[in-house]
Amino acid sequence: MNEHHRVEENYDAEKIQVLEGLEAVRKRPGMYIATTSSQGLHHLVYEIVDNAIDEALAGFCDRITVEILPGDVIRVTDNGRGIPTGVHPKMGISTLEVVFTVLHAGGKFGGGGYKVAGGLHGVGASVVNALSEYLRVRVCNEGKVHEMAFARGAVTQPMTVTGDTDLTGTTVEFKPDGEIFDELEYDYETLLTRMREQAFLNAGVTIVLRDAREGREREETLCYEGGIRQFVEYINRNKTPVHEDIIYFSAAREGSEAEVAIQYNDGYNEMVLSFANNINTPEGGMHETGLKTALTRAINDYARKYKMLKDDDKNLTGDDVREGITCVVSVKLEEAQFEGQTKTKLGNAFMRTMVDNMVYDNLSAYLEENPTVAKAITEKTLAAARAREAARKAREATRRKSALDSASMPGKLADCQERDPALTEIYIVEGDSAGGSAKNGRDRRYQAILPLWGKMLNVEKARIDKIFGNEKLMPMVTAFGAGIGEEFDISKLRYGKIILMADADVDGSHIRTLLLTFFYRYMRPLIEEGHVYIAQPPLYKVAPRGRNQEPRYAYNDRQLAALLQEFPGADVQRYKGLGEMSPQQLWETTMDPETRTILRVNVEDAMRIDQTLTILMGEKVEPRREFIEQNARDVVNLDV
Ligand code: TSJ
């Protein structure tokens, strides 16, 4: 057997594997992307953009353009070296083809650069290709334009040279497959949040986001020379800082980098965002632990040295020194290990030491050199310690009466029979009538129902601390069983899934905003560890004419249009609220795990919601005015 023949045989074998591989992605997309909901749809874009960002990190690309084209087609373009088009030494086909047809090819093929893992990131362009109705790629390198096309992962046009060029770069255009995804419409704001985050994390890289869909044209150019410093500035933009200067440190050693930016504001919220290889790590991990211990130690040492803490005072706690902090920590490392419930916790132990040393040494020096800032921060943390002590005393005094400690569950809770939180879920339902339908429609073995509020709370007008101090939220806290704030203990959580079920209208949206902000501020691990979901009740019931025709349900206007095409002249009922549905209908459309869609809330969602609430309820007039002007349509609704 000659050499040439052997390569060909290998190639055939590889090729068969490749086809099986991508077929597997289509058969079980859930194994490769977290969901086939709207979230999964957006993840496709992140995956492609991540590849372009890797090229920027390698130092060969400084501009990435992301476009939403008519028909919700995505186009991503970079000005890098272009994906290599030569024959791949192991596979015997072009590297370009390998990238799009071999599972897990991402990052490995070029050598050099680091491979990143965690979530979808790094699973490669082949997954996006497998889940796209079509995908076209154009590579400019070595003086030529190369083009290639695929449909649902299979090659429809082999790599062809289509022209000459002096430029280099890669363009990928794809249309997500309607057979796979429940939802095909891209949300500009969701992409904008992610692209902005990536622009902050990769200082100097320009990311252009453009919406080219008819009637929705808009464009943003994101480029932050200041990197994560500007990220912190951005998060604090509607808050009042305690010190002007953004504290920033960085360190590099043996293929690893770490950087941190810090600014305190006069609020009480702790906002520590951590990233590893540009991937958000809401479960924290070694880099975050290193940061937190160093911060606590440096501030305690400073406060002791300058007698702001007296000899018999207790040390400031981690919560004290993080009250009002906004902090971004970003690390880059080879072979990052992601652990935890949602694989978003960094496990590499050396990172704890690296970040701890960097923060402790630099922050100690910074505090010595900047006494005004040091005093402002230390005063703030001492005030937090005093407030914590006062709150603890008050709590102890009322301990017996506290609903938190009461073993009895709230009267309105319709609990489930199962006790294992891995199997249970609780629906938080707006209003008593919807609560009634949910109670009768549920599977009582593992689904609990807690109705909240007979009537709507005016979120906009009430003060936020009043709402959170509000007795109305206490039954929910009791039902969850895990406490609140500093005392929150997720290991005591009584339900694995917390599902918010409110109407698809403005009041429902208020309730979701309020509850998510409450969880985000006082029970954040609930969101970080992925326990919080939003139920998706249908907006319409479509009753086809004719006997034996089951009613169909539409969850958005696109689905309604499709159903009306299928069943012309059908009766359409628009649901004004959950209360209009019978228990059976509510079960079938919204609560049955076999058929329902529930959206998991991630930290980015919650952060955005928290910001919205801060703007709407905060004391700063200017951001509120701007927000209202920019969102005029929504805010008209807010006054309903
Ligand atoms: F996702 C993707 F693969 F489809 C994709 C990759 C999408 C987009 C928009 C850009 C890219 C991409 C890949 N941009 N730049 C690159 N670079 C390489 O693949 C590359 C080029 C040269 C070399 C080399 O060693 O010479 C190595 C690599 C990895």
Side-chain angles (χ1 to χ4, degrees), residues 331-630:
V331 301
K332 304 218 166 95
L333 67 166
E334 286 163 21
E335 299 190 32
Q337 281 155 15
F338 292 95
E339 305 170 343
Q341 288 270 325
T342 56
K343 293 273 172 279
T344 58
K345 180 175 181 182
L346 183 67
N348 306 66
F350 79 93
M351 242 329 144
R352 183 180 55 211
T353 320
M354 179 165 169
V355 176
D356 185 320
N357 290 343
M358 169 183 85
V359 172
Y360 183 77
D361 295 349
N362 287 296
L363 184 59
S364 300
Y366 180 95
L367 294 173
E368 291 295 341
E369 287 159 22
N370 298 273
T372 319
V373 177
K375 294 252 149 53
I377 293 175
T378 315
E379 289 294 355
K380 165 132 187 125
T381 66
L382 289 166
R386 285 192 294 272
R388 178 173 51 81
E389 189 55 22
R392 190 183 61 77
K393 284 190 180 134
R395 250 196 328 270
E396 257 165 25
T398 59
R399 180 125 281 181
R400 284 216 171 68
K401 284 180 244 154
S402 163
L404 273 178
D405 292 303
S406 136
S408 67
M409 283 293 131
K412 285 199 168 196
L413 174 71
D415 214 347
C416 52
Q417 292 155 356
E418 178 60 53
R419 282 284 157 263
D420 178 359
L423 305 174
T424 57
E425 38 191 62
I426 183 168
Y427 279 82
I428 309 298
V429 186
E430 166 196 8
D432 287 332
S433 77
S437 289
K439 274 180 199 175
N440 293 320
R442 67 177 171 148
D443 187 332
R444 64 174 60 244
R445 283 173 303 178
Y446 62 92
Q447 291 180 322
I449 309 292
L450 181 67
L452 275 190
W453 297 316
K455 72 178 170 57
M456 176 53 198
L457 251 178
N458 192 330
V459 178
E460 194 192 1
K461 292 195 180 106
R463 286 271 313 147
I464 199 161
D465 40 3
K466 249 196 195 157
I467 295 175
F468 291 158
N470 199 305
E471 287 301 307
K472 291 189 177 185
L473 287 173
M474 288 318 279
M476 191 177 69
V477 176
T478 308
F480 291 179
I484 187 170
E486 267 180 60
E487 297 187 330
F488 185 76
D489 177 0
I490 200 153
S491 71
K492 299 217 171 89
L493 188 64
R494 299 178 64 246
Y495 309 95
K497 288 196 174 75
I498 291 162
I499 306 174
L500 307 186
M501 188 161 70
D503 289 338
D505 63 3
V506 178
D507 285 355
S509 150
H510 277 184
I511 291 195
R512 277 189 295 276
T513 302
L514 174 67
L515 289 177
L516 290 175
T517 305
F518 180 68
F519 296 160
Y520 181 68
R521 293 193 182 170
Y522 297 98
M523 303 180 171
R524 191 169 303 172
L526 280 187
I527 292 178
E528 289 172 344
E529 296 182 21
H531 292 284
V532 181
Y533 297 80
I534 296 175
Q536 301 290 294
L539 292 181
Y540 305 98
K541 176 175 155 184
V542 178
R545 296 255 159 93
R547 294 197 308 129
N548 303 330
Q549 287 274 31
E550 292 286 317
R552 316 293 156 108
Y553 300 94
Y555 294 80
N556 55 43
D557 288 337
R558 190 175 56 83
Q559 287 178 354
L560 177 65
L563 281 175
L564 286 179
Q565 269 205 328
E566 196 180 337
F567 305 106
D571 263 344
V572 177
Q573 179 191 351
R574 188 188 162 89
Y575 286 121
K576 285 184 217 72
L578 294 162
E580 290 176 23
M581 263 184 261
S582 70
Q584 181 61 20
Q585 284 174 338
L586 196 57
W587 166 255
E588 282 171 9
T589 60
T590 315
M591 297 177 70
D592 178 0
E594 295 293 322
T595 52
R596 73 184 177 196
T597 306
I598 53 176
L599 296 181
R600 181 184 266 177
V601 177
N602 61 36
V603 177
E604 280 168 21
D605 297 332
M607 197 169 115
R608 209 163 46 199
I609 288 163
D610 180 296
Q611 295 262 345
T612 307
L613 204 69
T614 303
I615 293 169
L616 286 176
M617 308 193 41
E619 281 153 17
K620 280 198 165 188
V621 176
E622 187 60 15
R624 180 181 159 90
R625 194 180 58 77
E626 270 174 27
F627 182 89
I628 290 175
E629 274 171 16
Q630 278 172 17

Side-chain angles (χ1 to χ4, degrees), residues 48 51-52 55 76-78 81-84 99-100 109-110 125 170 172:
I48 296 297
N51 281 278
E55 182 74 355
V76 182
T77 306
D78 75 20
R81 290 167 295 178
I83 301 174
V99 168
F100 286 100
F109 52 88
T170 303
V172 171

